[in-house]
Amino acid sequence: MSHPIIFDTDPGVDDAQAIAIALRHPEIELLGLTTTYGNVDIETATHNALLLSELAGRDIPVAQGSAGPLVKPRHPAPAHIHGANGLGNIELPEVKGKKDPRSAAQFIVDTVNARPGEVTLVAVGPVGNLAAALQLDPALTGKVRRVVIMGGSIREGGNVTPVAEANMFNDPHAAQRVLTAGWPLTLVGLDVTHRCVLSQAHMQRIEAGQGELGRVLAGSYAFYRDFYREFLGIDGCCPHDSCALAWLLRPELFTTAPGHLAVVTDGLAEGQTLFAPEGRGFIQERWSQTPLAEVCLEVDGEAVVEWIADTLS
Ligand code: BDR
Ligand code: CA
């Protein structure tokens, strides 16, 4: 089965690998890349999206989106994790292509409306572009095939605060709108991405299989790996964003549960994702009033990293 997707991204080392999968996997029809600030500023995100698609020999529309959060001030980009250029500070070739003249939100609206019921939105950065697309066309909720979001954490705790995952924390107000919009939505969060550890051996296979694109993926991975070693004591990296595509293509590797999501927008817990399992009673009903969504709770992490390496080898 072919999956027509729009990939919304803030590349970013793990984003870059996921973009490579979206460009290479035979069952993915990549309709466009939409960019957001997050791991890098918006201009760098767009530059990297154009570059990665050129390195793969593809001419994919790249539409630029949000430069900052809807409400709160923007946090500085995490250059210690992804490098100042988002790709581990390695030297990069020149970009030849130009971005699409439309905003990311307009691109999403136009593309989904051209193929109602067919297009899956896969978002792996702060979700301001999806919130903006919903504002342009609220009926989008009934026209997408599915929305898959790498973000949030159900039981795992946070990675940028004790309770918040980075993509949710970076724009909690947008996340609250997008996660409660009532479209078919799957959340691929830290509960599963932290169970997937991509080793140096996996990366060597990817480097060998991807030519010049492989050089950029492996070079940036080396920088990202230093962060994991120093801060988390892991030898290897969590391929967060690739996991969203792994869920789309290989859902049988994941255990999911239906329930109601909400995102805390202010205060010490900002960016925390709240999940009320379907049918579970709480002291009041207010946690169970948002539309049903699906969250990933468990995964066969070894099978996912094998799938990533196989896809890019
Ligand atoms: C998410 O945050 C970003 O830094 C990564 O690219 C990923 O999308 C993980 O929390
Ligand atoms: Ca990302």
Side-chain angles (χ1 to χ4, degrees):
M1 180 167 57
S2 168
H3 295 270
I5 71 167
I6 298 172
F7 197 76
D8 187 67
T9 175
D10 59 336
V13 176
D14 62 317
D15 300 72
Q17 182 187 75
I19 289 171
I21 294 173
L23 287 160
R24 296 294 200 208
H25 199 288
E27 289 166 41
I28 294 177
E29 182 191 355
L30 182 58
L31 303 173
L33 295 164
T34 50
T35 60
T36 170
Y37 80 95
N39 292 327
V40 286
D41 63 71
I42 187 61
E43 300 293 341
T44 308
T46 302
H47 169 274
N48 291 349
L50 285 164
L51 175 71
L52 291 160
S53 99
E54 283 175 21
L55 290 176
R58 301 282 303 276
D59 184 15
I60 301 289
V62 174
Q64 182 162 299
S66 308
L70 287 186
V71 176
K72 72 181 207 178
R74 190 187 137 197
H75 285 269
H80 62 298
I81 304 177
H82 295 271
N85 69 357
L87 294 171
N89 291 337
I90 61 168
E91 209 169 299
L92 299 171
E94 291 242 324
V95 164
K96 298 184 197 74
K98 293 255 176 299
K99 66 185 180 199
D100 194 278
R102 288 168 289 180
S103 70
Q106 191 64 55
F107 180 87
I108 290 170
V109 167
D110 291 350
T111 307
V112 171
N113 276 295
R115 296 174 66 168
E118 289 183 31
V119 179
T120 295
L121 306 179
V122 182
V124 300
V127 293
N129 293 336
L130 273 58
L134 280 174
Q135 197 156 357
L136 285 177
D137 182 0
L140 219 51
T141 52
K143 292 186 269 194
V144 293
R145 177 154 150 198
R146 181 156 287 274
V147 178
V148 184
I149 293 178
M150 188 283 125
S153 174
I154 308 304
R155 303 170 179 156
E156 175 74 0
N159 59 356
V160 289
T161 84
V163 295
E165 181 279 328
N167 291 337
M168 301 290 105
F169 179 77
N170 274 332
D171 197 344
H173 296 84
Q176 166 66 0
R177 287 190 200 173
V178 169
L179 268 54
T180 63
W183 42 16
L185 182 138
T186 303
L187 196 70
V188 182
L190 299 180
D191 304 86
V192 292
T193 68
H194 276 175
R195 307 280 94 75
C196 303
V197 179
L198 197 91
S199 68
Q200 178 67 3
H202 289 116
M203 211 56 217
Q204 281 164 351
R205 282 170 60 197
I206 293 172
E207 181 171 16
Q210 292 297 323
E212 179 62 359
L213 177 59
R215 186 191 69 79
V216 170
L217 296 178
S220 58
Y221 175 90
F223 186 94
Y224 196 52
R225 189 166 165 234
D226 288 345
F227 164 79
Y228 274 87
R229 192 185 295 117
E230 194 177 329
F231 287 86
L232 303 175
I234 301 175
D235 186 21
C237 304
C238 298
H240 299 283
D241 294 345
S242 298
C243 292
L245 292 172
W247 178 81
L248 186 66
L249 276 290
R250 298 292 307 275
E252 71 279 6
L253 301 179
F254 295 77
T255 306
T256 61
H260 310 269
L261 282 167
V263 182
V264 179
T265 51
D266 301 284
L268 273 182
E270 64 174 318
Q272 181 176 19
T273 42
L274 303 180
F275 177 69
E278 184 182 21
R280 165 99 187 263
F282 291 101
I283 192 165
Q284 290 177 333
E285 284 182 358
R286 57 188 160 131
W287 292 275
S288 307
Q289 284 171 337
T290 55
L292 275 178
E294 175 182 52
V295 300
C296 292
L297 293 177
E298 286 165 28
V299 67
D300 181 344
E302 281 183 24
V304 167
V305 293
E306 277 304 311
W307 175 84
I308 292 169
D310 286 349
T311 301
L312 294 174
S313 292

